[in-house]
Amino acid sequence: MYKTSTQLLKLNNKNFNRYIEYASSVVYNGGTVAFPTETVYGLGANALEHSAVSKIFEAKGRPADNPLIVHISSKEDISKIALEIPDQAHKLIDLFWPGPLTLIMKRKRIVPDITTGGLDTVAIRMPANKIAISLLKNSGCPIAAPSANLSGKPSPTTAQHVLKDLNGKIDIIIDGGDVTIGLESTVLDLTSSYPTILRPGDISYNDLCAHLDRVEVGYNNNAEESKIVKSPGLKYKHYSPKSHVILALLTSTIEKHAEKIVQLQKENKEKKKKVGLLLMEETSQHIKSYYHLNNSFSLGKNAIDAGKALFRGLRYFDDNNFDIIIVDGNINNEGIGVAVLNRLRKAADEIL
Ligand code: AMP
Ligand code: MG
């Protein structure tokens, strides 16, 4: 097992260049560096070096057939790793990069098998985050970076989350504060007959449809159970804390929904369980008694807020050894709400 002492570098204006140069030299020399992006914190290593990338899989405990996203700092870098750039890619890149859209294209052989999980395609993204871009530019290589959590756990949205999961297993964590989006990028496959969304994210189905003739949806909320999966990552359990997660979907009126959550909380408390609630503001306004709002964490007013708060909330209750987390599914299934509900379904042990 690769063991190291992990350095936490807290960036400020004064140390920015010095710390970025140092972290970049660690990447260049085959080490591992966790860094913020606009989506979640990533765990990066030189994407073109087998031994560097193997440290990512080892630190996370990630299955070897689950490929990594390769991050680049300029649009021109695509041609270094992709065999051919489809016409649609040019359009999408001009519209959405830098940003939370990962594009899958045919790979060049320079990208080692370990990075792509043995596939002949490669996932590529240019992040919209100054720290990530500076690290990429200074290290001079494409950086493979999955989310910087232990495999199966909720993705990290702060440097403290990364430290909790990976301390002693990676070389550096760059603390650049909270991320802005809080959910992983949209993954779009451009190697199928039609562009296919393999993972929903901040760039939504409608955003893509506005610029493409046809967009397919290739993820399925029960993909863990399906045998054939296009994106290897889809078949693994995800975003799941130790606690038992119950997703309470909005199936009737808001009043009945609030009552359902209170009832679930009551039943579990009677069984002497420590119960936490992740609640949308609208729902908590329908829970009249403060008693029931004890141990509740707000997911905010809308799906954008929920995206930012979700993983932090799951981690909060997990770190504090709650047995049960009841999550409010009162989120519109549109825009980023699709991605929030997708992550919630994957995190949930029970959906009611
Ligand atoms: P992560 O970076 O941990 O959030 O996961 C990256 C996601 O992208 C996983 O779901 C992978 O399975 C998916 N992915 C990466 N590369 C490819 C590829 N070449 N083909 C299909 N899916 C991919
Ligand atoms: Mg991940």
Side-chain angles (χ1 to χ4, degrees), residues 92 96 100-104 184-210 212 214-221 223 229-232 234 335-336 338-339 342-343 346:
L92 295 171
F96 298 112
L101 178 66
T102 296
L103 298 174
I104 294 180
E184 306 82 353
S185 60
T186 305
V187 176
L188 186 71
D189 183 8
L190 296 177
T191 66
S192 319
S193 315
Y194 298 100
T196 305
I197 301 176
L198 299 182
R199 177 172 73 186
D202 188 47
I203 307 291
S204 69
Y205 176 80
N206 285 343
D207 292 336
L208 295 169
C209 284
L212 298 171
R214 180 166 167 177
V215 179
E216 302 275 318
V217 170
Y219 62 90
N220 146 3
N221 286 325
V229 279
K230 191 76 213 285
S231 187
L234 298 178
I336 196 170
V338 175
N342 164 269
R343 304 307 190 272
K346 283 174 175 283

Side-chain angles (χ1 to χ4, degrees), residues 65-260:
D65 66 347
N66 191 359
L68 308 180
I69 294 171
V70 178
H71 294 72
I72 55 177
S73 59
S74 78
K75 298 173 182 178
E76 291 70 44
D77 287 347
I78 304 176
S79 53
K80 294 183 188 155
I81 51 180
L83 198 57
E84 53 203 43
I85 307 171
D87 288 343
Q88 294 142 330
H90 289 292
K91 196 169 172 185
L92 295 171
I93 287 162
D94 285 339
L95 287 160
F96 298 112
W97 279 16
L101 178 66
T102 296
L103 298 174
I104 294 180
M105 301 178 218
K106 292 258 180 260
R107 75 156 158 169
K108 276 194 171 156
R109 296 300 309 179
I110 189 176
V111 185
D113 277 348
I114 188 166
T115 302
T116 68
L119 298 173
D120 63 358
T121 54
V122 57
I124 310 174
R125 177 168 108 83
M126 179 174 166
N129 175 289
K130 188 179 164 201
I131 296 167
I133 291 292
S134 305
L135 184 71
L136 282 157
K137 284 208 188 312
N138 270 277
S139 57
C141 56
I143 295 182
S147 49
N149 50 282
L150 286 174
S151 203
K153 294 283 162 215
S155 295
T157 58
T158 68
Q160 290 309 312
H161 294 163
V162 182
L163 193 68
K164 167 104 190 161
D165 277 18
L166 300 176
N167 193 13
K169 297 180 169 178
I170 62 177
D171 296 315
I172 292 176
I173 300 170
I174 300 178
D175 185 349
D178 291 3
V179 299
T180 44
I181 297 173
L183 296 177
E184 306 82 353
S185 60
T186 305
V187 176
L188 186 71
D189 183 8
L190 296 177
T191 66
S192 319
S193 315
Y194 298 100
T196 305
I197 301 176
L198 299 182
R199 177 172 73 186
D202 188 47
I203 307 291
S204 69
Y205 176 80
N206 285 343
D207 292 336
L208 295 169
C209 284
H211 304 284
L212 298 171
D213 294 336
R214 180 166 167 177
V215 179
E216 302 275 318
V217 170
Y219 62 90
N220 146 3
N221 286 325
N222 296 312
E224 300 89 304
E225 280 135 38
S226 73
K227 290 271 185 299
I228 305 159
V229 279
K230 191 76 213 285
S231 187
L234 298 178
K235 71 178 179 235
Y236 296 108
K237 183 117 180 89
H238 265 83
Y239 322 114
S240 60
K242 292 192 296 295
S243 322
H244 183 86
V245 177
I246 304 174
L247 170 59
L249 291 175
L250 177 69
T251 49
S252 56
T253 62
I254 181 73
E255 288 79 15
K256 286 199 176 127
H257 177 68
E259 184 50 38
K260 173 164 90 177

Side-chain angles (χ1 to χ4, degrees), residues 266-301:
K266 197 167 152 237
E267 281 165 21
N268 281 289
K269 278 188 170 176
E270 281 166 7
K271 291 184 209 152
K272 300 274 176 287
K273 302 283 188 200
K274 201 170 161 191
V275 184
L277 302 182
L278 284 176
L279 293 178
M280 298 301 294
E281 267 179 27
E282 189 195 24
T283 307
S284 53
Q285 280 160 11
H286 284 82
I287 296 179
K288 295 284 177 316
S289 151
Y290 284 115
Y291 168 78
H292 293 296
L293 292 172
N294 231 335
N295 292 326
S296 72
F297 180 104
S298 177
L299 288 176
K301 287 193 204 28

Side-chain angles (χ1 to χ4, degrees), residues 1-2 30 32 43 45-47 49-62 68 112 114-115 144 169:
M1 183 47 150
Y2 177 75
T32 45
L43 173 57
N46 183 345
E49 250 187 54
H50 175 100
S51 62
V53 175
S54 72
K55 291 177 190 165
I56 295 179
F57 282 90
E58 198 177 333
K60 283 184 56 99
R62 184 173 175 108
L68 308 180
I114 188 166
T115 302
K169 297 180 169 178

